[in-house]
């Protein structure tokens, strides 16, 4: 694997032979680097139609970490309203973001079935930690998130008594201290 | 006054096509995502970049699918001989706008929608060519922050005194009343992103002065590239250890 140090603007390949990956961009027929780092060639996935190898530049700074459509994020619910819940996005993938991003989960994106019968207050409470997927960049104020999958939803919540609850089913969590069950859209953890 | 003596030496002993000494260092502000100090002779500038991060003032956002680039240029009160400057004077506002436009053209803003990149520039010592030093410092700070860019935006100034084109004017030469041409280029892509001039020049003279400034830009680009590569090697060495 040949590696060399490149800086922004350096020519790292031809668009006819290679595809531009992370840290690279195409102008006309040439691929240039957009970050400072090491140039690497990654072989293409066997099932992809385009069999060109991908050239990418790995930088040293971890950020430019922002939610992208399709990425799984972890956030804290800040407000629950009649038709949506506000979420502060805290992590993208497995990395924490430097500054919080605002997100909302709309009533129709809470779960996959019977989406018009969803009661937001039986799905989330303020303070719950949720795992969600980014649907889109949303409007000017917040990202649109969805928990309409088995592995998405509330991962950690505090009961009225103040203890972290244990999940019982995909709709209920129980407080170990008081024995009270509370309703949430629970995420399925584990295989 | 004689700015170029008969032997071809300027007031500080340089020849017409010699730049001042460049000292550059990155990672100087640990809290910032990227930072750099850039010195051209006695002109010393510090740049700090924060971003990409959440947009703070949504009313400023014009284009949803591009990152918002904000730039603030300010001079420290002790940067010039006389303690000066009330905040937001016209020159600072103009330079903030000019530098912002230069850097915005260079950053791949379409890769970071819904976010904001802040570039803060502080002149610590002003001895001519502050806008060029600021652009060079901003480029280093953005590269240090890992923000994707088309190329390294570099800038240099050149002037025309005593019938000689002069590269990289200092404050005394700049105040002499001759023309001052500031050029900003993307060297590998061979594109001009900034071109400003004070005073008047005949067209052929302008072409010569512009060519000289562009040469200076290419030399600065080489230096910036060396600093980035050296810094990356240091990081890799420390990581492996």
């Amino acid at each position: 694997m040949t590696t060399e140090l490149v800086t922004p603007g350096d020519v790292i390949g031809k668009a006819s032979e290679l595809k531009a990956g992370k840290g690279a961009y195409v102008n006309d027929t040439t691929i240039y680097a957009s970050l400072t780092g090491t140039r690497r060639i990654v072989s293409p996935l066997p099932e992809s139609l385009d069999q060109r190898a991908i050239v990418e530049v790995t930088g040293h700074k971890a950020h430019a970490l922002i939610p992208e459509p399709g990425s799984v994020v972890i956030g804290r619910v800040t407000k629950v309203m009649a038709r949506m819940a506000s979420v502060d996005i805290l992590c993208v993938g497995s990395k924490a973001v430097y500054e919080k991003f605002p997100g909302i989960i709309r009533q129709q994106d809470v779960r996959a079935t019977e989406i018009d019968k969803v009661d937001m207050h039986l799905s989330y409470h303020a303070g719950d930690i949720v795992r969600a997927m980014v649907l889109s960049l949303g409007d000017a104020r917040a990202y649109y998130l969805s928990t309409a999958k088995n592995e998405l939803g509330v991962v950690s919540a505090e009961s009225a008594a103040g203890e972290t609850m244990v999940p019982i089913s995909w709709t209920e969590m129980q407080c170990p201290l008081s024995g009270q069950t509370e309703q949430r859209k629970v995420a399925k953890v584990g295989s | 006054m004689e700015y170029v003596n008969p032997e071809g030496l300027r007031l500080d002993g340089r020849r017409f096509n010699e730049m001042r000494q460049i000292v550059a260092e990155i990672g100087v502000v640990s809290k910032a995502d990227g930072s750099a100090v850039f010195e051209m002779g006695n002109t010393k500038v510090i740049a700090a970049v924060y971003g990409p991060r959440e947009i703070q003032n949504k009313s400023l956002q014009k284009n949803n699918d591009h990152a918002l680039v904000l730039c603030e240029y300010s001079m420290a009160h002790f940067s010039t001989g006389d303690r000066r400057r009330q905040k937001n004077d016209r020159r600072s506002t103009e330079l903030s706008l000019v530098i912002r436009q230069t850097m915005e053209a260079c950053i791949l803003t379409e890769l970071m929608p819904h976010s904001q990149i802040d570039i803060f520039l502080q002149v610590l010592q002003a001895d001519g060519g502050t806008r060029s030093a600021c652009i060079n410092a901003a480029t280093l700070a953005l590269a240090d922050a890992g923000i994707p860019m088309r190329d390294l935006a570099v800038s240099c100034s050149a002037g025309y005194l005593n019938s000689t084109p002069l590269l990289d004017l200092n404050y005394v030469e700049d105040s002499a009343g001759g023309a001052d041409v500031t050029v900003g280029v993307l060297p590998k892509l061979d594109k001009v992103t900034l071109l400003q001039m004070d005073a008047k020049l005949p067209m052929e003279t302008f072409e010569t002065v512009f060519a000289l400034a562009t040469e200076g830009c290419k030399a600065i680009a080489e230096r910036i590239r060396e600093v980035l590569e050296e810094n990356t090697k240091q990081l890799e060495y420390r990581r492996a250890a």
Side-chain angles (χ1 to χ4, degrees):
Chain A
M1 179 172 67
T2 49
T3 56
E4 50 171 301
L5 259 163
V6 292
T7 49
D10 283 350
V11 173
I12 54 175
K14 280 208 272 267
S16 51
E17 300 166 357
L18 298 165
K19 217 158 56 166
K22 273 190 160 202
Y25 75 97
V26 182
N27 188 2
D28 212 11
T29 53
T30 326
I31 305 180
Y32 298 89
S34 66
L35 293 177
T36 311
T38 35
R39 169 185 179 273
R40 276 172 47 232
I41 309 240
V42 179
S43 39
L45 299 160
E47 63 263 10
S48 67
L49 294 153
D50 190 352
Q51 282 296 309
R52 286 178 295 172
I54 305 168
V55 61
E56 55 178 44
V57 179
T58 17
H60 283 265
K61 284 277 160 93
H63 38 260
L65 188 67
I66 43 175
E68 262 152 58
S71 55
V72 173
V73 298
I74 300 193
R76 178 184 288 121
V77 176
T78 52
K79 214 163 40 171
V80 180
M81 292 167 279
R83 286 195 213 279
M84 64 181 203
S86 300
V87 174
D88 269 345
I89 298 174
L90 303 170
C91 306
V92 175
S94 55
K95 293 196 181 141
V97 287
Y98 278 69
E99 279 189 34
K100 299 179 287 204
F101 290 92
I104 54 173
I105 307 174
R106 296 169 300 173
Q107 183 189 13
Q108 63 266 39
D109 299 321
V110 172
R111 58 179 192 223
T113 52
E114 288 189 324
I115 56 177
D116 47 334
K117 295 207 177 77
V118 169
D119 185 340
M120 294 305 293
H121 295 282
L122 298 178
S123 309
Y124 305 110
H125 277 223
D128 291 352
I129 306 292
V130 296
R131 178 181 289 122
M133 191 181 76
V134 178
L135 282 176
S136 70
L137 298 173
D139 56 25
R141 282 164 299 184
Y143 286 88
Y144 283 170
L145 304 172
S146 160
T147 52
K149 275 204 190 133
N150 287 350
E151 64 270 15
L152 302 174
V154 176
V155 289
S156 174
E158 236 182 52
S159 70
E163 273 291 308
T164 309
M165 293 193 286
V166 175
I168 301 174
S169 71
W170 75 283
T171 50
E172 283 184 325
M173 292 182 112
Q174 188 175 34
C175 169
L177 205 61
S178 62
Q180 243 184 341
T181 52
E182 290 183 34
Q183 296 217 319
R184 299 283 200 283
K185 199 278 174 188
V186 187
K188 187 182 161 98
V189 180
S191 56
Chain B
M1 194 188 147
E2 194 187 61
Y3 294 96
V4 186
N5 73 12
E7 276 113 69
L9 298 176
R10 288 146 80 169
L11 295 168
D12 50 7
R14 289 185 284 155
R15 301 223 161 255
F16 79 99
N17 60 353
E18 275 178 345
M19 279 195 338
R20 294 173 289 178
Q21 189 192 33
I22 294 176
V23 178
E25 200 185 322
I26 55 178
V28 290
V29 178
S30 44
K31 184 175 187 275
D33 294 324
S35 57
V37 167
F38 198 86
E39 292 178 50
M40 289 168 82
N42 285 330
T43 299
K44 189 163 165 169
V45 157
I46 192 163
V49 164
Y50 291 84
R53 57 180 178 179
E54 180 69 24
I55 294 204
Q56 258 129 36
N57 190 352
K58 301 242 163 54
S59 59
L60 293 173
Q61 186 184 34
K62 285 176 209 120
N63 203 346
N64 257 9
D65 48 355
H66 282 63
L68 177 68
V69 178
L70 294 174
C71 178
E72 196 188 292
Y73 166 98
S74 63
M75 299 181 80
H77 288 288
F78 49 82
S79 61
T80 57
D82 41 323
R83 186 185 163 85
R84 40 93 107 229
R85 207 183 83 77
Q86 74 276 57
K87 208 176 169 353
N88 290 334
D89 64 333
R90 306 232 314 242
R91 183 174 169 274
S92 294
T93 319
E94 189 227 330
L95 281 175
S96 301
L97 176 69
V98 162
I99 297 172
R100 186 186 74 75
Q101 289 176 332
T102 308
M103 303 323 295
E104 195 171 37
C106 183
I107 300 172
L108 291 167
T109 49
E110 59 271 12
L111 293 178
M112 299 163 285
H114 276 232
S115 40
Q116 148 180 332
I117 296 169
D118 283 303
I119 307 171
F120 294 104
L121 300 155
Q122 181 88 330
V123 177
L124 301 175
Q125 228 173 252
D127 187 25
T130 52
R131 76 188 70 194
S132 296
C134 283
I135 290 172
N136 297 329
T139 296
L140 269 173
L142 287 165
D144 184 38
I147 291 175
M149 295 191 283
R150 292 197 162 74
D151 198 347
L152 299 169
V154 284
S155 172
C156 193
S157 66
Y160 193 71
L161 287 171
N162 294 148
S163 314
T164 326
L166 300 175
L167 181 60
D168 195 13
L169 305 174
N170 60 25
Y171 181 72
V172 179
E173 292 169 334
D174 199 356
S175 329
D180 173 21
V181 178
T182 308
V183 176
V185 298
L186 302 178
K188 286 272 164 91
L189 295 177
D190 210 14
K191 293 197 177 186
V192 177
T193 75
L194 169 70
L195 183 57
Q196 283 187 306
M197 183 167 91
D198 297 330
K200 290 189 291 198
L201 275 183
M203 276 311 286
E204 302 87 41
T205 321
F206 170 74
E207 306 267 352
T208 324
V209 173
F210 173 73
L212 186 60
T214 314
E215 284 288 308
C217 287
K218 299 242 160 82
I220 296 178
E222 270 317 298
R223 192 61 218 281
I224 287 182
R225 204 152 262 129
E226 274 169 24
V227 170
L228 287 173
E229 287 182 358
E230 181 59 42
N231 182 263
T232 309
K233 281 194 196 132
Q234 282 288 321
L235 287 173
E236 290 196 343
Y237 171 69
R238 274 183 229 153
R239 239 193 213 177

